[in-house]
Amino acid sequence: MSPATSTSFSVFYQEYLTLHQNKTCRRLHLLGMAVALTVFAAVLCSSYWMWSVLAPVFVYPFAWTGHLVFERNQPATWSNPWFSILADLRMTWDILRRRIEL
């Protein structure tokens, strides 16, 4: 089963992790998430808060570089964007809690 065909998030997340075995890819994801969350916080604190919906766009250049250059696979975002966003947040949380090696 591929991440695109997963019907439950827990199954999707386990498959998602198999697409993120390269440390550089995971580091790029973490960097992209940090940039996106910083942009999100800065925009929310400004008078332009409606632009906060664009914050996730800042993750993609980092994450896709990690996949295409280092992991050499297709990003899960291309097949299941909603679960992929949730999985990226979960993976970031798991990295910060040291459940996943960085």
Side-chain angles (χ1 to χ4, degrees):
M1 185 180 293
S2 73
T5 59
S6 300
T7 55
S8 77
F9 179 73
S10 62
V11 170
F12 177 87
Y13 185 62
Q14 292 308 310
E15 295 164 356
Y16 180 87
L17 291 177
T18 67
L19 299 175
H20 297 83
Q21 295 181 22
N22 182 282
K23 285 184 183 182
T24 304
C25 181
R26 290 194 304 268
R27 289 174 181 160
L28 286 168
H29 272 266
L30 191 62
L31 178 60
M33 187 61 71
V35 170
L37 292 174
T38 301
V39 168
F40 182 73
V43 171
L44 278 182
C45 293
S46 75
S47 60
Y48 301 103
W49 59 267
M50 72 282 289
W51 289 95
S52 64
V53 297
L54 294 178
V57 172
F58 290 91
V59 173
Y60 296 131
F62 296 100
W64 291 355
T65 298
H67 284 286
L68 300 174
V69 175
F70 298 100
E71 210 51 84
R72 298 198 187 273
N73 62 21
Q74 182 177 327
T77 305
W78 296 355
S79 58
N80 196 332
W82 298 113
F83 271 4
S84 181
I85 292 168
L86 294 174
D88 202 19
L89 288 167
R90 168 88 184 270
M91 185 174 71
T92 299
W93 181 241
D94 286 345
I95 289 170
L96 294 174
R97 293 186 309 162
R98 297 186 177 161
R99 291 187 171 186
I100 296 176
E101 186 180 346
L102 188 58

XYZ file of all heavy atoms in Angstrom:
845
model
N 0.852 -1.176 0.000
C 0.000 0.000 0.000
C 0.898 1.240 0.000
O 1.879 1.311 0.716
C -0.885 -0.018 1.248
C -1.891 1.108 1.279
S -2.946 1.097 2.742
C -3.890 -0.357 2.490
N 0.554 2.232 -0.788
C 1.323 3.470 -0.832
C 0.630 4.522 0.022
O -0.555 4.396 0.347
C 1.435 3.950 -2.276
O 0.193 4.469 -2.707
N 1.353 5.589 0.403
C 0.711 6.642 1.181
C -0.531 7.213 0.504
O -1.466 7.626 1.167
C 1.806 7.702 1.314
C 3.070 6.939 1.226
C 2.771 5.817 0.255
N -0.557 7.206 -0.816
C -1.702 7.756 -1.537
C -2.978 6.960 -1.294
O -4.071 7.503 -1.333
C -1.409 7.801 -3.035
N -2.857 5.656 -1.035
C -4.041 4.816 -0.878
C -4.398 4.545 0.584
O -5.349 3.828 0.858
C -3.849 3.473 -1.597
O -2.698 2.812 -1.049
C -3.662 3.680 -3.094
N -3.648 5.094 1.511
C -3.923 4.878 2.932
C -5.235 5.530 3.321
O -5.529 6.652 2.935
C -2.795 5.460 3.792
O -1.588 4.842 3.484
N -6.014 4.801 4.105
C -7.291 5.352 4.543
C -7.244 5.850 5.975
O -8.083 6.628 6.382
C -8.412 4.298 4.415
O -8.018 3.139 5.146
C -8.654 3.952 2.959
N -6.272 5.404 6.759
C -6.150 5.902 8.126
C -4.838 6.658 8.274
O -3.837 6.336 7.620
C -6.210 4.760 9.145
O -4.975 4.076 9.191
N -4.851 7.660 9.143
C -3.645 8.461 9.317
C -2.511 7.647 9.914
O -1.355 7.824 9.524
C -3.926 9.698 10.182
C -2.692 10.524 10.394
C -2.175 11.286 9.365
C -2.031 10.501 11.612
C -1.015 12.030 9.540
C -0.873 11.241 11.797
C -0.368 12.010 10.759
N -2.790 6.754 10.835
C -1.715 5.976 11.457
C -0.995 5.102 10.425
O 0.232 4.987 10.440
C -2.229 5.144 12.620
O -3.179 4.212 12.182
N -1.736 4.504 9.500
C -1.119 3.715 8.434
C -0.326 4.636 7.507
O 0.814 4.349 7.135
C -2.181 2.923 7.635
C -1.586 2.299 6.392
C -2.829 1.877 8.519
N -0.930 5.767 7.153
C -0.258 6.732 6.289
C 1.055 7.185 6.917
O 2.093 7.246 6.248
C -1.151 7.951 6.031
C -0.482 9.009 5.193
C -0.548 8.953 3.816
C 0.223 10.043 5.785
C 0.077 9.916 3.043
C 0.857 11.007 5.020
C 0.775 10.945 3.634
N 1.033 7.488 8.219
C 2.232 8.010 8.876
C 3.369 6.990 8.861
O 4.525 7.353 8.625
C 1.915 8.453 10.306
C 3.092 9.112 10.995
C 3.636 10.285 10.492
C 3.658 8.552 12.132
C 4.712 10.893 11.104
C 4.734 9.162 12.760
C 5.256 10.330 12.235
O 6.333 10.930 12.846
N 3.069 5.739 9.072
C 4.109 4.712 9.019
C 4.709 4.621 7.609
O 5.924 4.483 7.454
C 3.559 3.355 9.470
C 3.200 3.316 10.938
C 4.332 3.792 11.833
O 5.463 3.353 11.718
N 4.022 4.704 12.739
N 3.881 4.728 6.601
C 4.362 4.717 5.221
C 5.124 6.005 4.901
O 6.126 5.987 4.185
C 3.189 4.527 4.262
C 2.538 3.170 4.419
C 1.172 3.090 3.775
O 0.666 4.108 3.265
O 0.598 1.995 3.790
N 4.651 7.109 5.454
C 5.298 8.409 5.281
C 6.729 8.364 5.814
O 7.649 8.880 5.179
C 4.459 9.457 6.031
C 4.965 10.868 5.968
C 4.602 11.704 4.923
C 5.767 11.390 6.976
C 5.041 13.016 4.875
C 6.210 12.700 6.938
C 5.842 13.505 5.885
O 6.268 14.803 5.842
N 6.922 7.727 6.953
C 8.259 7.638 7.537
C 9.218 6.847 6.650
O 10.421 7.129 6.641
C 8.197 7.025 8.935
C 7.537 7.897 10.003
C 7.478 7.148 11.326
C 8.246 9.232 10.152
N 8.698 5.878 5.908
C 9.575 5.122 5.000
C 10.082 6.001 3.857
O 11.101 5.689 3.252
C 8.877 3.880 4.413
O 7.817 4.284 3.553
C 8.374 2.960 5.507
N 9.393 7.088 3.571
C 9.818 8.033 2.534
C 10.808 9.061 3.075
O 11.265 9.929 2.330
C 8.602 8.760 1.949
C 7.547 7.891 1.275
C 6.353 8.736 0.869
C 8.133 7.164 0.085
N 11.094 8.999 4.373
C 11.957 9.986 5.034
C 13.076 9.300 5.813
O 13.299 9.581 6.984
C 11.117 10.858 5.971
C 10.080 11.653 5.254
N 8.855 11.125 4.906
C 10.108 12.917 4.791
C 8.180 12.055 4.260
N 8.907 13.145 4.170
N 13.803 8.434 5.172
C 14.866 7.702 5.840
C 16.203 8.442 5.797
O 17.058 8.215 6.633
C 15.004 6.309 5.224
C 13.762 5.482 5.484
C 13.877 4.078 4.914
O 14.961 3.585 4.693
N 12.734 3.464 4.696
N 16.379 9.341 4.856
C 17.614 10.105 4.720
C 17.619 11.263 5.728
O 16.673 12.039 5.786
C 17.723 10.632 3.286
C 18.992 11.388 3.036
O 19.114 12.540 3.427
N 19.927 10.743 2.369
N 18.698 11.378 6.508
C 18.783 12.423 7.537
C 18.725 13.824 6.940
O 18.106 14.719 7.513
C 20.072 12.278 8.349
C 20.062 11.161 9.326
C 21.344 11.168 10.131
C 21.377 9.994 11.082
N 22.580 10.004 11.918
N 19.363 14.021 5.798
C 19.350 15.347 5.175
C 17.934 15.729 4.769
O 17.533 16.884 4.938
C 20.301 15.388 3.959
O 21.613 15.009 4.388
C 20.352 16.765 3.342
N 17.175 14.778 4.270
C 15.777 15.036 3.919
C 14.992 15.456 5.156
O 14.246 16.439 5.124
C 15.156 13.804 3.266
S 13.445 14.031 2.756
N 15.163 14.722 6.250
C 14.455 15.074 7.497
C 14.884 16.444 8.009
O 14.061 17.221 8.492
C 14.684 14.001 8.553
C 13.990 12.696 8.254
C 13.950 11.762 9.452
N 15.246 11.455 10.017
C 15.997 10.409 9.680
N 15.577 9.570 8.750
N 17.160 10.199 10.274
N 16.161 16.745 7.903
C 16.660 18.054 8.347
C 16.078 19.179 7.504
O 15.728 20.235 8.028
C 18.186 18.064 8.297
C 18.811 17.200 9.357
C 20.305 17.098 9.214
N 20.843 16.237 10.259
C 22.011 15.648 10.201
N 22.788 15.822 9.145
N 22.422 14.888 11.202
N 15.976 18.960 6.200
C 15.368 19.963 5.333
C 13.889 20.154 5.662
O 13.380 21.279 5.637
C 15.567 19.602 3.863
C 16.985 19.823 3.334
C 17.158 19.178 1.971
C 17.299 21.310 3.271
N 13.198 19.073 5.975
C 11.801 19.185 6.404
C 11.699 20.032 7.670
O 10.826 20.900 7.780
C 11.203 17.797 6.683
C 10.597 17.143 5.493
N 9.267 17.243 5.183
C 11.145 16.362 4.534
C 9.016 16.563 4.079
N 10.149 16.008 3.673
N 12.577 19.759 8.622
C 12.560 20.499 9.883
C 12.872 21.973 9.650
O 12.205 22.848 10.225
C 13.558 19.876 10.863
C 13.479 20.366 12.302
C 12.124 20.032 12.914
C 14.600 19.747 13.122
N 13.848 22.264 8.805
C 14.182 23.649 8.482
C 12.999 24.347 7.815
O 12.642 25.474 8.173
C 15.413 23.697 7.575
C 15.855 25.081 7.103
C 16.208 25.981 8.280
C 17.034 24.950 6.147
N 12.390 23.685 6.852
C 11.224 24.259 6.183
C 10.076 24.507 7.141
O 9.403 25.541 7.077
N 9.862 23.574 8.068
C 8.793 23.750 9.061
C 9.100 24.933 9.971
O 8.203 25.719 10.306
C 8.619 22.470 9.876
C 7.434 22.496 10.801
S 5.842 22.700 9.963
C 5.667 21.119 9.183
N 10.368 25.089 10.369
C 10.757 26.218 11.219
C 10.524 27.550 10.499
O 10.001 28.499 11.082
C 12.217 26.083 11.639
N 10.892 27.599 9.228
C 10.669 28.809 8.434
C 9.173 29.092 8.314
O 8.719 30.223 8.524
C 11.328 28.684 7.040
C 10.891 29.822 6.124
C 12.839 28.646 7.169
N 8.391 28.073 7.993
C 6.946 28.251 7.824
C 6.280 28.705 9.120
O 5.429 29.603 9.107
C 6.311 26.959 7.331
N 6.660 28.100 10.242
C 6.061 28.496 11.520
C 6.475 29.909 11.922
O 5.676 30.655 12.496
C 6.422 27.484 12.614
C 5.786 26.104 12.448
C 6.323 25.131 13.499
C 4.269 26.175 12.506
N 7.703 30.297 11.587
C 8.153 31.662 11.859
C 7.368 32.660 11.019
O 6.907 33.691 11.529
C 9.665 31.796 11.582
O 10.370 30.874 12.418
C 10.156 33.197 11.835
N 7.202 32.356 9.739
C 6.407 33.216 8.855
C 4.973 33.296 9.360
O 4.385 34.380 9.439
C 6.451 32.711 7.392
C 5.400 33.401 6.526
C 7.846 32.897 6.817
N 4.408 32.154 9.729
C 3.033 32.104 10.238
C 2.883 33.005 11.467
O 1.955 33.818 11.547
C 2.664 30.661 10.576
C 1.255 30.484 11.064
C 0.188 30.575 10.192
C 1.001 30.221 12.397
C -1.123 30.407 10.629
C -0.302 30.056 12.856
C -1.359 30.150 11.967
N 3.798 32.896 12.417
C 3.733 33.704 13.642
C 3.910 35.182 13.328
O 3.179 36.032 13.863
C 4.792 33.243 14.637
N 4.860 35.514 12.463
C 5.109 36.918 12.118
C 3.906 37.541 11.419
O 3.520 38.680 11.726
C 6.344 37.018 11.231
N 3.321 36.789 10.509
C 2.170 37.317 9.770
C 0.959 37.467 10.693
O 0.218 38.440 10.599
C 1.853 36.420 8.552
C 0.550 36.809 7.894
C 2.982 36.482 7.541
N 0.767 36.521 11.602
C -0.358 36.630 12.539
C -0.226 37.851 13.441
O -1.237 38.440 13.830
C -0.455 35.372 13.412
C -1.165 34.180 12.802
C -1.214 33.032 13.803
C -2.576 34.521 12.343
N 1.003 38.217 13.760
C 1.243 39.377 14.631
C 1.175 40.697 13.873
O 1.243 41.760 14.484
C 2.603 39.244 15.316
S 2.675 37.879 16.486
N 1.068 40.647 12.569
C 1.002 41.863 11.761
C -0.451 42.163 11.400
O -1.365 41.431 11.762
C 1.828 41.688 10.483
O 1.137 40.863 9.566
N -0.607 43.215 10.678
C -1.955 43.568 10.219
C -2.336 42.776 8.961
O -3.428 42.946 8.444
C -2.049 45.072 9.955
O -1.116 45.440 8.967
N -1.429 41.924 8.498
C -1.669 41.127 7.299
C -1.922 39.660 7.644
O -1.496 38.761 6.936
C -0.476 41.234 6.340
C -0.194 42.630 5.910
C 0.865 43.340 6.471
C -0.982 43.266 4.964
C 1.129 44.646 6.087
C -0.730 44.572 4.573
C 0.329 45.256 5.143
O 0.580 46.536 4.764
N -2.639 39.398 8.710
C -2.837 38.038 9.211
C -3.464 37.100 8.187
O -3.253 35.908 8.234
C -3.677 38.051 10.493
C -5.028 38.676 10.298
C -5.364 39.968 10.495
C -6.209 38.011 9.843
N -6.686 40.174 10.182
C -7.228 38.978 9.785
C -6.501 36.703 9.484
C -8.512 38.680 9.375
C -7.790 36.392 9.071
C -8.781 37.383 9.030
N -4.220 37.636 7.229
C -4.858 36.762 6.243
C -3.829 36.062 5.352
O -4.118 35.024 4.771
C -5.892 37.506 5.401
C -5.340 38.478 4.401
S -4.802 40.064 5.042
C -6.276 40.891 5.462
N -2.609 36.566 5.281
C -1.542 35.945 4.509
C -0.972 34.713 5.214
O -0.165 33.983 4.647
C -0.414 36.943 4.243
C -0.817 37.995 3.263
C -1.304 39.233 3.551
C -0.803 37.907 1.847
N -1.585 39.917 2.400
C -1.283 39.125 1.335
C -0.423 36.908 0.954
C -1.405 39.359 -0.032
C -0.535 37.151 -0.402
C -1.021 38.365 -0.886
N -1.406 34.462 6.442
C -0.892 33.313 7.203
C -1.191 31.981 6.506
O -0.481 31.006 6.729
C -1.442 33.313 8.626
O -2.846 33.145 8.617
N -2.206 31.944 5.670
C -2.534 30.704 4.958
C -1.438 30.309 3.968
O -1.373 29.159 3.534
C -3.904 30.794 4.235
C -5.023 30.988 5.232
C -3.902 31.897 3.192
N -0.560 31.253 3.622
C 0.521 30.957 2.693
C 1.755 30.373 3.388
O 2.679 29.920 2.716
C 0.935 32.221 1.935
C -0.119 32.791 0.985
C 0.401 34.064 0.328
C -0.479 31.768 -0.077
N 1.777 30.356 4.710
C 2.942 29.855 5.447
C 3.355 28.444 5.029
O 4.557 28.181 4.884
C 2.700 29.936 6.948
N 2.420 27.518 4.805
C 2.854 26.168 4.392
C 3.651 26.147 3.091
O 4.460 25.245 2.880
C 1.537 25.407 4.230
C 0.578 26.122 5.110
C 0.983 27.574 5.050
N 3.468 27.139 2.245
C 4.205 27.197 0.981
C 5.712 27.262 1.233
O 6.505 26.787 0.426
C 3.732 28.409 0.140
C 4.590 28.637 -1.077
C 2.271 28.233 -0.244
N 6.118 27.797 2.385
C 7.535 27.922 2.690
C 8.185 26.585 3.031
O 9.405 26.466 3.007
C 7.749 28.926 3.834
C 7.461 30.336 3.424
C 6.190 30.871 3.571
C 8.454 31.117 2.867
C 5.925 32.174 3.186
C 8.193 32.417 2.465
C 6.926 32.946 2.623
N 7.402 25.581 3.349
C 7.941 24.252 3.652
C 8.364 23.541 2.369
O 9.393 22.855 2.334
C 6.897 23.388 4.400
C 7.381 21.963 4.559
C 6.552 23.993 5.743
N 7.585 23.693 1.321
C 7.751 22.881 0.119
C 9.120 22.961 -0.553
O 9.648 21.919 -0.936
C 6.631 23.163 -0.875
C 5.284 22.773 -0.351
C 4.204 23.633 -0.409
C 5.093 21.524 0.241
C 2.964 23.265 0.098
C 3.864 21.154 0.744
C 2.803 22.034 0.668
O 1.580 21.671 1.164
N 9.733 24.134 -0.744
C 11.055 24.132 -1.394
C 12.085 23.291 -0.631
O 12.877 22.570 -1.246
C 11.458 25.605 -1.406
C 10.179 26.347 -1.321
C 9.252 25.489 -0.501
N 12.054 23.345 0.683
C 12.982 22.557 1.492
C 12.648 21.070 1.404
O 13.516 20.235 1.156
C 12.939 23.016 2.957
C 13.391 24.429 3.158
C 12.475 25.462 3.301
C 14.747 24.732 3.208
C 12.897 26.768 3.489
C 15.177 26.036 3.397
C 14.245 27.058 3.532
N 11.390 20.743 1.631
C 10.965 19.345 1.654
C 11.149 18.683 0.286
O 11.660 17.560 0.197
C 9.505 19.241 2.097
N 10.750 19.348 -0.765
C 10.852 18.757 -2.096
C 12.310 18.603 -2.521
O 12.656 17.642 -3.214
C 10.050 19.554 -3.105
C 8.566 19.437 -2.874
C 7.939 18.639 -1.954
C 7.541 20.129 -3.558
N 6.578 18.799 -2.030
C 6.307 19.720 -3.006
C 7.533 21.081 -4.563
C 5.093 20.211 -3.458
C 6.316 21.573 -5.005
C 5.110 21.133 -4.459
N 13.174 19.534 -2.122
C 14.602 19.375 -2.387
C 15.115 18.119 -1.687
O 15.870 17.330 -2.269
C 15.389 20.613 -1.924
O 14.935 21.744 -2.660
C 16.886 20.427 -2.118
N 14.688 17.924 -0.440
C 15.093 16.734 0.305
C 14.680 15.459 -0.395
O 15.453 14.495 -0.469
N 13.472 15.446 -0.918
C 12.981 14.241 -1.601
C 13.639 14.027 -2.955
O 14.095 12.929 -3.262
C 11.464 14.296 -1.767
C 10.743 14.010 -0.512
N 10.646 12.745 0.009
C 10.123 14.834 0.372
C 9.984 12.795 1.157
N 9.661 14.051 1.396
N 13.677 15.057 -3.758
C 14.155 14.902 -5.132
C 15.673 14.744 -5.215
O 16.163 14.019 -6.077
C 13.686 16.085 -5.977
C 12.162 16.241 -6.063
C 11.791 17.521 -6.810
C 11.518 15.040 -6.718
N 16.424 15.387 -4.312
C 17.877 15.355 -4.380
C 18.478 14.271 -3.485
O 19.359 13.535 -3.903
C 18.479 16.744 -4.028
C 19.992 16.694 -3.971
C 18.003 17.798 -5.017
N 18.000 14.176 -2.256
C 18.634 13.276 -1.286
C 17.906 11.939 -1.128
O 18.521 10.889 -1.078
C 18.769 13.970 0.074
C 19.638 15.185 0.010
C 19.083 16.450 -0.066
C 21.021 15.058 -0.003
C 19.890 17.575 -0.148
C 21.833 16.168 -0.086
C 21.265 17.442 -0.162
N 16.608 11.983 -1.010
C 15.822 10.754 -0.817
C 15.573 10.051 -2.148
O 15.380 8.849 -2.192
C 14.507 11.170 -0.152
C 13.778 10.272 0.741
C 14.476 9.598 1.880
O 14.634 10.170 2.948
O 14.809 8.418 1.694
N 15.521 10.832 -3.220
C 15.257 10.333 -4.582
C 13.931 9.572 -4.670
O 13.853 8.472 -5.205
C 16.413 9.487 -5.094
C 17.707 10.261 -5.192
C 18.703 9.574 -6.078
N 19.981 10.250 -6.034
C 20.324 11.288 -6.806
N 19.451 11.780 -7.648
N 21.507 11.823 -6.710
N 12.908 10.211 -4.115
C 11.564 9.649 -4.212
C 10.562 10.786 -4.387
O 10.932 11.960 -4.380
C 11.223 8.770 -2.997
C 11.232 9.523 -1.677
O 11.106 10.738 -1.632
N 11.393 8.795 -0.590
N 9.332 10.439 -4.548
C 8.264 11.418 -4.766
C 7.700 11.859 -3.427
O 7.346 11.016 -2.594
C 7.161 10.783 -5.608
C 6.030 11.725 -5.929
C 5.003 11.061 -6.821
O 5.337 10.230 -7.648
N 3.755 11.426 -6.649
N 7.581 13.183 -3.195
C 6.982 13.651 -1.948
C 5.539 13.157 -1.793
O 4.776 13.116 -2.758
C 7.004 15.175 -2.085
C 8.069 15.453 -3.097
C 8.043 14.286 -4.037
N 5.175 12.782 -0.588
C 3.815 12.303 -0.308
C 2.777 13.397 -0.546
O 1.614 13.101 -0.820
C 3.725 11.797 1.128
N 3.211 14.647 -0.491
C 2.297 15.770 -0.716
C 1.646 15.688 -2.085
O 0.504 16.117 -2.250
C 3.064 17.105 -0.606
O 3.718 17.148 0.649
C 2.155 18.297 -0.745
N 2.353 15.137 -3.041
C 1.824 15.070 -4.391
C 0.667 14.095 -4.508
O -0.154 14.206 -5.408
C 2.914 14.679 -5.377
C 4.004 15.701 -5.481
C 4.048 16.938 -4.879
C 5.212 15.589 -6.215
N 5.208 17.576 -5.188
C 5.946 16.776 -6.010
C 5.751 14.594 -7.012
C 7.187 16.995 -6.593
C 6.991 14.815 -7.596
C 7.701 16.002 -7.389
N 0.579 13.127 -3.615
C -0.486 12.132 -3.719
C -1.557 12.271 -2.638
O -2.694 11.881 -2.863
C 0.104 10.719 -3.668
O 0.819 10.534 -2.477
N -1.193 12.800 -1.479
C -2.156 12.942 -0.381
C -1.795 14.180 0.437
O -1.197 14.078 1.506
C -2.142 11.682 0.487
C -3.343 11.590 1.391
O -3.914 12.606 1.784
N -3.732 10.386 1.747
N -2.140 15.381 -0.055
C -1.672 16.613 0.584
C -2.139 16.807 2.026
O -1.372 17.293 2.862
C -2.191 17.724 -0.318
C -3.146 17.099 -1.259
C -2.925 15.632 -1.254
N -3.356 16.435 2.356
C -3.866 16.699 3.709
C -3.193 15.817 4.754
O -2.738 16.306 5.786
C -5.385 16.544 3.763
C -6.050 17.539 2.867
C -6.757 17.266 1.732
C -6.025 18.966 2.979
N -7.173 18.433 1.145
C -6.743 19.486 1.893
C -5.459 19.852 3.892
C -6.916 20.863 1.690
C -5.632 21.222 3.699
C -6.352 21.705 2.612
N -3.123 14.531 4.503
C -2.422 13.641 5.427
C -0.935 13.988 5.479
O -0.291 13.860 6.517
C -2.596 12.181 5.017
C -3.803 11.501 5.608
C -4.725 12.178 6.388
C -4.009 10.150 5.383
C -5.834 11.540 6.921
C -5.109 9.494 5.922
C -6.024 10.199 6.692
N -0.386 14.430 4.353
C 1.027 14.767 4.302
C 1.357 15.956 5.210
O 2.379 15.952 5.899
C 1.431 15.072 2.863
O 2.795 15.366 2.801
N 0.513 16.957 5.199
C 0.711 18.115 6.082
C 0.663 17.673 7.537
O 1.521 18.049 8.350
C -0.337 19.213 5.796
C -0.090 19.828 4.423
C -0.325 20.280 6.887
C -1.219 20.694 3.924
N -0.330 16.866 7.878
C -0.428 16.357 9.250
C 0.779 15.490 9.614
O 1.316 15.577 10.725
C -1.719 15.561 9.431
C -3.024 16.340 9.334
C -4.211 15.390 9.387
C -3.103 17.379 10.437
N 1.220 14.665 8.666
C 2.367 13.792 8.920
C 3.643 14.608 9.089
O 4.501 14.266 9.913
C 2.514 12.784 7.796
N 3.775 15.681 8.332
C 4.955 16.532 8.469
C 4.987 17.190 9.851
O 6.040 17.260 10.488
C 4.965 17.588 7.365
C 6.347 18.141 7.095
O 7.344 17.495 7.476
O 6.438 19.222 6.493
N 3.839 17.646 10.307
C 3.759 18.216 11.663
C 4.081 17.152 12.711
O 4.814 17.407 13.672
C 2.373 18.813 11.910
C 2.077 20.107 11.153
C 0.587 20.425 11.217
C 2.906 21.251 11.710
N 3.557 15.959 12.518
C 3.814 14.858 13.457
C 5.286 14.462 13.445
O 5.878 14.222 14.489
C 2.928 13.672 13.101
C 3.266 12.374 13.786
C 2.577 12.219 15.125
N 2.991 11.005 15.781
C 2.409 9.821 15.652
N 1.334 9.691 14.882
N 2.856 8.789 16.312
N 5.882 14.391 12.250
C 7.293 14.037 12.173
C 8.151 15.116 12.850
O 9.102 14.799 13.568
C 7.737 13.853 10.718
C 9.172 13.373 10.595
S 9.681 12.979 8.905
C 9.769 14.616 8.193
N 7.800 16.376 12.658
C 8.515 17.468 13.321
C 8.419 17.303 14.826
O 9.419 17.418 15.549
C 7.932 18.829 12.888
O 8.103 18.974 11.480
C 8.607 19.980 13.610
N 7.231 17.009 15.317
C 7.016 16.802 16.753
C 7.826 15.600 17.247
O 8.464 15.659 18.307
C 5.531 16.637 17.038
C 5.187 16.431 18.478
C 4.563 15.348 19.003
C 5.421 17.327 19.567
N 4.405 15.512 20.358
C 4.917 16.720 20.740
C 6.011 18.583 19.666
C 4.990 17.318 21.987
C 6.080 19.190 20.923
C 5.575 18.552 22.055
N 7.840 14.529 16.485
C 8.602 13.338 16.870
C 10.109 13.607 16.858
O 10.845 13.075 17.689
C 8.267 12.156 15.964
C 6.906 11.553 16.265
O 6.342 11.851 17.347
O 6.411 10.778 15.434
N 10.576 14.430 15.927
C 11.994 14.801 15.899
C 12.330 15.626 17.141
O 13.345 15.403 17.796
C 12.347 15.553 14.605
C 12.325 14.596 13.408
C 13.710 16.237 14.725
C 12.417 15.284 12.050
N 11.479 16.600 17.446
C 11.730 17.458 18.610
C 11.710 16.670 19.916
O 12.439 17.004 20.863
C 10.719 18.605 18.657
C 10.827 19.622 17.508
C 9.689 20.625 17.578
C 12.186 20.308 17.530
N 10.895 15.619 19.959
C 10.845 14.765 21.161
C 11.892 13.662 21.129
O 11.936 12.818 22.015
C 9.452 14.134 21.291
C 8.379 15.166 21.589
C 7.041 14.527 21.852
N 6.678 13.596 20.798
C 5.749 12.665 20.931
N 5.091 12.514 22.055
N 5.448 11.863 19.928
N 12.729 13.668 20.081
C 13.812 12.701 19.889
C 13.323 11.263 19.724
O 14.023 10.329 20.076
C 14.835 12.812 21.013
C 15.500 14.165 21.012
C 16.590 14.232 21.989
N 17.215 15.562 21.851
C 17.950 16.101 22.767
N 18.191 15.477 23.882
N 18.468 17.277 22.579
N 12.147 11.107 19.180
C 11.655 9.778 18.826
C 12.143 9.371 17.446
O 12.111 8.207 17.094
C 10.122 9.737 18.873
C 9.604 9.841 20.279
C 8.143 9.625 20.315
N 7.700 9.518 21.712
C 6.494 9.223 22.058
N 5.571 8.970 21.129
N 6.164 9.148 23.326
N 12.523 10.397 16.656
C 13.114 10.169 15.344
C 14.465 10.866 15.347
O 14.577 12.023 15.746
C 12.224 10.733 14.215
C 10.888 9.999 14.162
C 12.938 10.661 12.872
C 9.915 10.564 13.143
N 15.478 10.151 14.879
C 16.834 10.685 14.869
C 16.960 11.772 13.805
O 16.436 11.652 12.712
C 17.813 9.550 14.572
C 19.255 9.966 14.672
C 20.203 8.815 14.376
O 19.752 7.662 14.357
O 21.378 9.101 14.140
N 17.668 12.819 14.155
C 17.884 13.913 13.202
C 19.252 13.865 12.672
O 20.240 13.875 12.797
C 17.599 15.249 13.853
C 17.607 16.450 12.927
C 16.602 16.308 11.808
C 17.300 17.696 13.710
